[in-house]
Amino acid sequence: MIVERLDGAGVARRAGELAELMADTVAGGASIGFLAPLDHGEAVAWWRGRAAEAAAGRLAVWVAHDGGRVLGTVSLAFPDKPNSRHRAELVKLMVHRRARGQGLGRTLLTTAERAAADAGITLLHLDTETGSPAEHLYRGAGWTRAGVIPDYAADPGGVLRPTTLYYKAVTGARAPSPADPSGIEKRRPPGHG
């Protein structure tokens, strides 16, 4: 399995494959912001919108593939406010149903956590549907449950479900570069700018 970070052009180039992964994830019941059935064109358009964010350094996107087909993805979203440049949100961790149970979710999560540390991020946060299989993954990886919000988001079938918020202090994070007091540079790990 190959895990690689995509730049903006890479996200745009793989938008169709990422859309297929997203549709499979939604069809499998994961609450990732979309209702079932997810239209392929809608999913492609959503990913193409993320390409600009990746190109601007506001979003880091990784894909896992078997040399061809995309089987998983994870992203980090970076806030644009000066008082929050130390943190990032883990978003859209997805593993295709045919690749589940093989440790790919954990590999993607670890990839994002390490990249966050390398970028000087000291705090990660996320939300996930309460009671979902993803909760087991996050707890097992040392994430801390912050609380539950009832009726936060609809599942793919349109039923309102509670969401659990998690956070994790990132260990081994580098100090921000004195050459870049704005913190922008630390959003792009070396070699990915």
Side-chain angles (χ1 to χ4, degrees):
M1 189 67 53
I2 299 164
V3 177
E4 65 178 314
R5 182 167 173 189
L6 301 180
D7 59 12
V11 172
R13 186 173 49 258
R14 290 199 174 245
E17 296 170 83
L18 288 162
E20 290 174 20
L21 171 64
M22 182 178 278
D24 177 77
T25 303
V26 171
S31 181
I32 57 168
F34 298 90
L35 300 176
L38 178 58
D39 177 74
H40 181 75
E42 178 185 355
V44 168
W46 188 88
W47 278 108
R48 286 190 178 141
R50 305 298 76 79
E53 293 178 33
R58 293 186 302 269
L59 184 72
V61 179
W62 290 268
V63 295
H65 57 87
D66 58 5
R69 186 178 11 200
V70 170
L71 297 173
T73 188
V74 67
S75 298
L76 290 176
F78 303 100
D80 61 354
K81 296 172 187 71
N83 73 340
S84 56
R85 290 192 175 130
H86 65 288
R87 71 177 189 238
E89 181 178 10
L90 187 99
V91 294
K92 301 296 184 263
L93 174 57
M94 295 180 261
V95 174
H96 198 283
R97 286 181 285 180
R98 72 175 158 263
R100 290 186 186 157
Q102 301 170 32
L104 183 54
R106 178 63 80 116
T107 297
L108 288 165
L109 183 58
T110 300
T111 297
E113 290 174 358
R114 286 183 183 155
D118 289 346
I121 299 298
T122 60
L123 180 67
L124 291 172
H125 64 97
L126 63 84
D127 65 80
T128 192
E129 183 179 320
T130 304
S132 70
E135 278 200 283
H136 177 74
L137 171 66
Y138 300 131
R139 284 192 308 266
W143 287 69
T144 302
R145 182 177 177 232
V148 175
I149 303 172
D151 296 338
Y152 184 78
D155 66 14
V159 177
L160 291 178
R161 301 282 185 194
T163 291
T164 303
L165 306 176
Y166 284 89
Y167 68 92
K168 185 173 188 178
V170 179
T171 57
R174 294 182 319 185
S177 166
D180 182 30
S182 70
I184 300 296
E185 179 181 275
K186 68 181 177 181
R187 294 184 184 170
R188 298 182 186 166
H192 300 286

